[in-house]
Amino acid sequence: MSSGAGQYGGQQGRGGPTGPLERVLLVWDAPNMDMSLGSLLGARPTSAYRPRFDAVGRWLLDLAGPEAEAEACVFTNVAPGSIDIVRPWVEALRNVGFAVFAKPKTSEDSDVDDDMLAHIDLRAGEGMLRHVVVASGDGRAFREPLEKLIEVGTDVTVIGFREYAGFALASETLSFLDLEDIDGVFREPLPRVSLDTLPDEGAWLPPFRSLRSLLDRR
């Protein structure tokens, strides 16, 4: 893992007569969360449907309480030619208080899953990790490592979208929180009516794309 994520310390535990504080760690899988949100909406999200990280940060601080140190990290890939687009978002995250681990997207395999797991392992190895929050729907990468953390006494919460977090919903040990249930994360309710959440009176399921787009596929 790159030293950028491994060496980041967040808000360091304040030493003293009682020793360092326990840590509550959030790791956010930006590629997976962006893909899940785009699939949910059927399009690129507008500003109304982009998550507000200040609200996520306040939720994490409330989860940590005064007795623990809160550390929030976003892990992302940077595709060639996208630096000017990504830079304002990264700077906004850092201004909120999030650390950002950025990795060039040099191939389809250059994701950030291993970097996220390495950072979790780093914090777990320090012996003060009380709670891990993972924002991802990638069960293949995270289910087994997170369940092992629970076995050694670390609390684990998965946050994401219920439509794409089946591994957490099906687990007997992992806790799941839908991102939309965190107060203030979205400016407007997500348009997420699905066959699983139909009201008694029925609902329209809008098309993902214009019917005219069929003409472009010839």
Side-chain angles (χ1 to χ4, degrees):
M1 170 180 167
S2 167
S3 60
Q7 296 299 320
Y8 171 70
Q11 298 174 338
Q12 294 296 326
R14 294 181 289 273
T18 58
L21 296 178
E22 292 183 309
R23 185 178 297 268
V24 175
L25 171 67
L26 165 66
V27 290
W28 183 286
D29 184 352
N32 182 272
M33 294 293 284
D34 290 350
M35 181 179 64
S36 297
L37 182 57
S39 297
L40 186 68
L41 298 174
R44 291 181 62 85
T46 63
S47 58
Y49 298 134
R50 291 193 182 100
R52 296 182 56 181
F53 283 89
D54 57 334
V56 176
R58 283 191 291 270
W59 172 82
L60 187 70
L61 288 168
D62 185 62
L63 180 67
E67 299 83 15
E69 207 67 71
E71 177 186 352
C73 308
V74 171
F75 290 71
T76 189
N77 286 121
V78 181
S82 68
I83 291 177
D84 290 341
I85 298 173
V86 174
R87 182 181 286 113
W89 174 69
V90 169
E91 291 178 351
L93 285 170
R94 296 171 70 188
N95 279 325
V96 170
F98 281 66
V100 178
F101 177 77
K103 182 176 182 178
K105 185 68 173 177
T106 57
S107 70
E108 288 300 317
D109 297 326
S110 58
D111 57 32
V112 293
D113 296 344
D114 289 343
D115 303 289
M116 293 173 64
L117 290 169
H119 192 60
I120 294 171
D121 286 344
L122 175 72
R123 294 299 182 226
E126 293 170 348
M128 300 300 293
L129 187 58
R130 187 181 82 190
H131 198 143
V132 174
V133 181
V134 174
S136 181
D138 188 349
R140 183 177 60 178
F142 295 108
R143 179 171 185 161
E144 184 176 345
L146 295 182
E147 289 181 342
K148 287 182 177 178
L149 279 175
I150 292 174
E151 291 175 3
V152 298
T154 301
D155 292 332
V156 175
T157 300
V158 175
I159 60 176
F161 304 102
R162 59 181 178 269
E163 293 89 345
Y164 303 105
F167 84 98
L169 291 167
S171 173
E172 296 181 357
T173 56
L174 297 175
S175 298
F176 174 75
L177 177 66
D178 194 283
L179 186 60
E180 196 171 11
D181 291 336
I182 297 177
D183 187 45
V185 168
F186 294 104
R187 290 180 175 84
E188 297 181 12
L190 296 177
R192 61 194 304 184
V193 174
S194 69
L195 297 179
D196 299 316
T197 59
L198 289 174
D200 291 341
E201 65 273 17
W204 285 98
L205 303 176
F208 288 139
R209 56 180 60 87
S210 166
L211 186 65
R212 188 164 291 276
S213 65
L214 292 172
L215 301 177
D216 300 329
R217 301 183 196 177
R218 292 178 178 176

